[in-house]
Amino acid sequence: MTKDVEDLKSEVKKLRRRLRALEKTEQKKYPSNDPNEEVLEIPHGEPIKVAELTIATRKCLKAPEAVVFLLNALFSKTEIKNCSISGKKTVKCGEEGPRPPLDQVRFRVLERVVFEVFPNFTRKEVREKIQNIQKVERKR
């Protein structure tokens, strides 16, 4: 029995070392807890910092213009065309079912940046603008 306890203690020590090593790796990847320092991996392009997106968005004069800019920065044309905002089934879906959702991490960043720069712009207005852009892309 003491051998089992010793084996378990040794295993716990190994796991603690691995956990510390993983935590150090995470700290190197994400040195700050500031959400603006977050780096987004963009599948169709280079990784980008949320702070850089916010700065670029501040150059937009109107909120709809900012939504278009961020949508094109964060999502590829095929994602915009072939995905829906939520991926939920609606009346319009048809037999093939709903479209897959846009990447929700990048979508939440889009919303967060828009609301930070244009606080009076509503969530409904953001979604309507995105849906209008998607309709135009699907007709092309």
Side-chain angles (χ1 to χ4, degrees):
M1 171 128 167
T2 59
K3 187 175 190 290
D4 291 337
V5 171
E6 292 301 319
D7 289 342
L8 287 173
K9 285 182 180 179
S10 142
E11 190 66 29
V12 167
K13 284 181 181 177
K14 288 178 187 175
L15 289 172
R16 283 184 179 152
R17 275 188 233 125
R18 286 182 59 198
L19 179 63
R20 276 189 229 112
L22 286 171
E23 286 172 345
K24 286 180 182 177
T25 306
E26 282 295 308
Q27 287 173 351
K28 288 178 185 175
K29 283 183 186 176
Y30 309 104
S32 172
N33 289 334
D34 183 5
N36 286 330
E37 291 301 316
E38 179 182 354
V39 176
L40 282 175
E41 295 294 327
I42 309 292
H44 63 278
E46 297 291 319
I48 189 165
K49 284 186 175 182
V50 175
E52 292 172 4
L53 281 175
T54 305
I55 291 167
T57 304
R58 290 187 192 284
K59 295 177 183 174
C60 297
L61 301 176
K62 296 181 179 177
E65 184 183 326
V67 172
V68 172
F69 166 74
L70 289 168
L71 192 65
N72 288 318
L74 296 172
F75 299 98
S76 68
K77 291 288 184 192
T78 55
E79 286 177 302
I80 295 168
K81 183 178 181 178
N82 297 327
C83 296
S84 69
I85 291 175
S86 66
K88 292 181 182 175
K89 187 172 181 171
T90 64
V91 177
K92 299 177 186 178
C93 287
E95 292 178 17
E96 63 276 355
R99 290 184 164 92
L102 288 170
D103 180 77
Q104 292 301 296
V105 172
R106 289 184 277 151
F107 182 74
R108 298 282 177 250
V109 168
L110 180 146
E111 285 185 322
R112 189 173 75 212
V113 171
V114 168
F115 298 144
E116 182 180 326
V117 177
F118 299 97
N120 294 332
F121 206 60
T122 66
R123 187 168 190 222
K124 181 180 177 185
E125 290 171 320
V126 169
R127 289 173 176 266
E128 286 174 353
K129 184 63 182 172
I130 292 171
Q131 288 169 343
N132 289 339
I133 293 166
Q134 287 177 318
K135 287 176 191 173
V136 169
E137 286 297 320
R138 289 175 187 145
K139 287 182 181 179
R140 290 184 181 177

